[in-house]
Amino acid sequence: MVSTRADELRATLSADGQRIIWASNREGGAGGWDLWTAQLQDKRWVQPQPLPLNSGADEVDPLLSADGRWLYFASNRKGGQGGYDLYRAAVAADGSIGQPQLLAGAVNGAGDERSPALADDGRLLFSSNRNGNWDLWTAAAVDRGFAAPVALAGINSAEAEIDASWLGGGRAVIFARSHGDGSARLWVSQCRHGTWGEASLLPLSFNGDGGDARGALVDASKPGELVVSGRARAPRAGGLDLYRMKTPLVDGTDDCR
């Protein structure tokens, strides 16, 4: 029900494990990439359906906040500040999702902003091409928005860094690095006393040369597991599928700000 012949990208799960939200370009949505949701019944995902907030543009990179009150995502819909922007929508107690609102503060710019992720202290991690190249950025939480973003020194390179999220509450970062051929591989960098350490390749069968892996997020209901998007030889449903794997060990420090 989740992985199909279409592409499925970046899944986020509720803390009780009963709901999954992910991006897909399957038929039946509002157009382009849309956000879809499904419920867990008898250990199976059932009744996949597009979210009402979808537009005729693209909605991608969903993230449920730890308290379940907000759904963050990226979209290139009309009304933004340029290209893809970061939004959030309130999640009601009954699971219904409200109207999207642009993230407050200086996070969104004239370029593209993608893949929002939140650390335990509220720090926002996202990718942006605002400087001409896709890099990772962070922004501290302030009031009801975020402070001016800062490039993530020590991880960003001349290549494209995208699809990042936090591990260990913010003591490590897992991210995708694209090499210009449309594919990407997942890397992990850990904080070492105020500095992001050299990234290591995530051990995963389809994460090597010729593979494609991205969109990794920790399962909020099972922190010991990641959900990643990729193209495995088997098992395989279509293009990009969703897979589970063990979360890599994190032993970094918590002083990289």
Side-chain angles (χ1 to χ4, degrees):
M1 290 296 181
V2 176
S3 291
T4 66
R5 292 182 180 274
D7 293 308
E8 326 298 337
L9 181 62
R10 203 190 201 222
T12 181
L13 287 94
S14 59
D16 64 4
Q18 299 302 299
R19 186 179 197 180
I20 185 172
I21 299 175
W22 75 101
S24 178
N25 59 4
R26 66 180 66 189
E27 295 182 357
W33 284 88
D34 293 300
L35 299 183
W36 288 71
T37 186
Q39 300 293 324
L40 190 67
Q41 292 183 12
D42 299 325
K43 299 182 179 181
R44 293 178 61 87
W45 295 112
V46 300
Q47 300 176 342
Q49 54 188 310
L51 293 181
L53 60 73
N54 290 320
S55 69
D58 292 334
E59 281 74 39
V60 290
D61 305 340
L63 174 78
L64 284 168
S65 61
D67 59 11
R69 295 177 57 192
W70 295 97
L71 172 66
Y72 292 78
F73 66 96
S75 177
N76 59 355
R77 62 178 60 199
K78 293 181 179 179
Q81 296 187 18
Y84 284 90
D85 291 301
L86 300 183
Y87 293 80
R88 72 174 187 172
V91 181
D94 63 0
S96 60
I97 299 175
Q99 289 297 311
Q101 53 188 255
L102 276 167
L103 290 195
V107 170
N108 291 313
D112 297 294
E113 284 73 43
R114 295 279 303 265
S115 58
L118 294 171
D120 290 349
D121 61 4
R123 277 177 296 157
L124 177 69
L125 172 66
F126 65 99
S127 57
S128 177
N129 61 3
R130 61 183 58 202
N131 282 350
N133 189 49
W134 281 100
D135 288 317
L136 304 183
W137 297 73
T138 60
V142 291
D143 299 325
R144 296 184 179 181
F146 295 94
V150 177
L152 203 59
I155 295 180
N156 292 326
S157 70
E159 296 182 282
E161 281 74 37
I162 56 174
D163 280 346
S165 61
W166 301 105
L167 296 177
R171 293 181 288 120
V173 172
I174 183 169
F175 63 96
R177 180 171 283 156
S178 175
H179 300 281
D181 61 355
S183 66
R185 288 186 287 176
L186 288 168
W187 298 78
V188 177
S189 175
Q190 304 210 42
C191 179
R192 302 295 187 194
H193 307 293
T195 302
W196 291 107
E198 182 177 354
S200 58
L201 195 65
L202 184 71
L204 183 62
S205 62
F206 51 85
N207 196 41
D209 292 338
D212 192 2
R214 59 186 71 208
L217 278 181
V218 172
D219 181 346
S221 66
K222 298 178 180 179
E225 296 184 6
L226 288 176
V227 179
V228 302
S229 301
R231 302 179 192 272
R233 292 183 179 180
R236 184 173 180 179
L240 285 170
D241 295 315
L242 297 176
Y243 298 88
R244 285 185 176 275
M245 67 169 294
K246 185 177 180 180
T247 302
L249 178 66
V250 171
D251 59 0
T253 57
D254 61 358
D255 50 357
C256 289
R257 304 296 179 187

